């Protein structure tokens, strides 16, 4: 997005007062001044009196909380927008309900060349199975339909859509009457993606960015790539974000880099790095995450997409080119493959050079203690999604059905990562889980496995400053003088300092410590309501009637 001032223009000054400002610079601050696109001052109400006469605008917070705007470190923007504006089966309660929604959507969109939908999760339905192809054909009235699973690692396609993809039946991952995975899935996804016109794509992207801004998100990390979206999708999104007010967009392009020419292509696309969804494996929900031991509910161990040599080549080439590398890795076998590759690259180039680029691993769910140690040693950022545990964790959740309750308890060990010093960046993987940063902070603080819980303060930092650090910037995600003026205003209840375990007394929870408070996110408490989101000093969302 563009800055709030033009060259030669005096920066506009905004003074916010009579609220609660969440800042390490002054834990008792009630006021904040912004000049142009930077925070200029934070302090007390008395000091704000002297600034008010010269401010261009004075905002009476009326007790509202001011925090840094959130960063969502893993988003698929166009897919999120399509879910918001089109066929989203996340709320379907059963197989018949899902089919009825497909039928209604098809009737409401007679001109669409290919019907697009997403979000189905048969593990939540009483039938515990996805629709058959014949059932989908009838629901879609014989039209081409692409219906991606909630985790985006498998999809259903009607007979009419399969007919548009030559050679589909010979591709790995094709099954005669079930979800498509692997190359077969990627082929039908490309056909579906190609049906999106520029106007429909832009409308979806705007819808997603508007929703992000409305929940206090000031930056998103778009995880694009040849197996998840397209070059045109990424470049169009980056152009839209540069031209229109809204959240900042940092794009990642998940394509293997083997040398300088590949690295130049990534840069030419406008990408921050060759990272994001460069798949080392798939997902647990689709039985494609790569495990050391077989699934509890399937007679195999998932799918490996990369070797350790592939990883080492990519990390080496990216490090030599000075760009971030990264991978999608969920299962323990996939994570170990990625770590072996990073170790090889560190042996070639020196550990310090590899550490300096802040390479990242997306999801990083099934981690052994040794893997956690390796993450810390290599200074890898863990780009993780607390909403996954909220959706599928627990003794009776999908994770336990896939792995067994005991093995599932090892998933998403946020506390162990923090104790080891691993940088965390929180995200949603939207549309896999919804855009909603306070819900994610709550999910981390009240993890379904108690030993993995972290404090609200640590979770909040991972969802604000953690996202800025993950793109190599240390100046954002915190309200201090000189920082970017990316912030959000919230209506909320009393502020508290919460530890992850009430049995433990912590120095930071004592009011005498001066630790800034945050909203009470205990289960059952209402989540804060976003009143305004500001990015680079420009308002990108204002709550209606406020």
């Amino acid at each position: 997005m563009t800055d709030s001032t033009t060259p030669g223009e005096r920066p506009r000054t905004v003074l916010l007062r009579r609220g609660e400002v969440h800042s390490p610079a002054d834990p008792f601050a009630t006021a904040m001044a912004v000049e142009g696109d930077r925070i200029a001052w934070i302090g007390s109400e008395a000091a704000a009196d002297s600034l008010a006469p010269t401010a261009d605008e004075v905002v009476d917070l009326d007790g509202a909380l001011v925090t840094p705007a959130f960063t969502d470190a893993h988003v698929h923007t166009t897919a999120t927008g399509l879910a918001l504006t089109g066929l989203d089966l996340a709320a379907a309660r059963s197989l018949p309900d899902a089919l009825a929604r497909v039928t209604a959507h098809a009737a409401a969109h007679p001109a669409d060349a290919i019907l697009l939908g997403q979000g189905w999760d048969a593990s939540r339905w009483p039938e515990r199975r996805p629709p058959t192809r014949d059932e989908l054909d009838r629901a879609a009235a014989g039209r081409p339909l692409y219906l991606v699973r909630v985790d985006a690692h498998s999809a259903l396609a009607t007979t009419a859509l399969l007919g548009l993809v030559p050679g589909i039946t010979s591709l790995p991952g094709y099954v005669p009457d079930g979800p498509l995975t692997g190359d077969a899935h990627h082929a039908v996804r490309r056909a579906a993606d190609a049906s999106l016109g520029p106007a429909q794509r832009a409308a979806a992207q705007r819808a997603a960015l508007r929703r992000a801004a409305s929940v206090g998100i000031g930056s998103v990390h778009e995880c694009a790539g040849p197996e998840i979206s397209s070059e045109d999708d990424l470049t169009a999104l980056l152009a839209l974000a540069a031209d229109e007010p809204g959240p900042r967009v940092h794009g990642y392009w998940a394509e293997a880099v083997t040398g300088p020419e590949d690295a130049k292509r990534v840069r030419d696309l406008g990408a921050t790095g060759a990272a994001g969804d460069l798949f080392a494996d798939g997902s647990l929900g689709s039985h494609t995450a790569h495990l050391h031991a077989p699934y509890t509910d399937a007679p195999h161990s998932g799918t490996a997409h990369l070797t350790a040599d592939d990883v080492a080549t990519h990390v080496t080439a990216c490090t030599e080119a000075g760009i971030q590398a990264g991978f999608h890795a969920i299962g323990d076998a996939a994570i170990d493959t990625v770590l072996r590759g990073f170790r090889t690259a560190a042996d070639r180039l020196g550990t310090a050079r590899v550490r300096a680029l802040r390479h990242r691993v997306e999801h990083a769910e099934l981690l052994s203690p040794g893997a956690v140690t390796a993450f810390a040693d290599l200074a890898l950022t863990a780009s993780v999604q607390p909403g996954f545990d909220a959706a599928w964790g627990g003794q009776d959740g999908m994770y336990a059905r896939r792995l067994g309750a005991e093995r599932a308890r090892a998933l998403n060990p946020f506390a162990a990562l923090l104790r080891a010093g691993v940088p965390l960046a929180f995200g949603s993987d939207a549309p896999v889980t919804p855009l909603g940063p306070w819900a994610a902070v709550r999910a981390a603080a009240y993890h379904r496995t108690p030993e993995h819980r972290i404090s609200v303060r640590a979770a909040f930092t991972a969802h604000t400053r953690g996202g800025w650090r993950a793109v190599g910037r240390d100046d954002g995600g915190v309200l201090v003088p000189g920082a970017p003026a990316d912030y959000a205003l919230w209506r909320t209840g009393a502020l508290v300092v919460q530890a992850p375990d009430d049995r433990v007394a912590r120095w930071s929870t004592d009011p005498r410590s001066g630790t800034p408070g945050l909203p009470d996110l205990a289960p059952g408490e209402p989540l804060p309501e976003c009143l305004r989101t500001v990015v680079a000093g420009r308002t990108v969302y204002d709550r209606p009637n406020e």
Side-chain angles (χ1 to χ4, degrees), residues 120 148-154 283-288 392 429 432:
W120 62 271
V148 67
R149 191 184 184 278
V150 64
D151 58 11
H153 288 275
S154 60
S283 73
L284 293 166
S286 290
H287 291 101
T288 52
W392 301 302
D429 199 6
V432 176

Side-chain angles (χ1 to χ4, degrees), residues 86-87 98-117 136-145 158:
L87 176 57
L99 292 170
R101 290 169 187 254
V102 170
T103 299
H105 181 80
H109 296 81
D112 287 4
I114 297 178
L115 298 166
L116 305 174
L136 270 189
D137 286 346
R138 289 198 302 270
R143 295 169 62 189
L145 166 68
T158 56

Side-chain angles (χ1 to χ4, degrees), residues 243-270:
D243 291 342
E244 300 180 7
R248 302 173 191 263
V249 177
H250 302 277
Y252 283 94
W253 183 247
E255 189 167 10
V257 173
T258 60
E261 285 303 311
D262 292 338
K264 181 179 183 299
R265 251 183 35 81
V266 171
R267 284 201 174 97
D268 288 347
L269 287 172

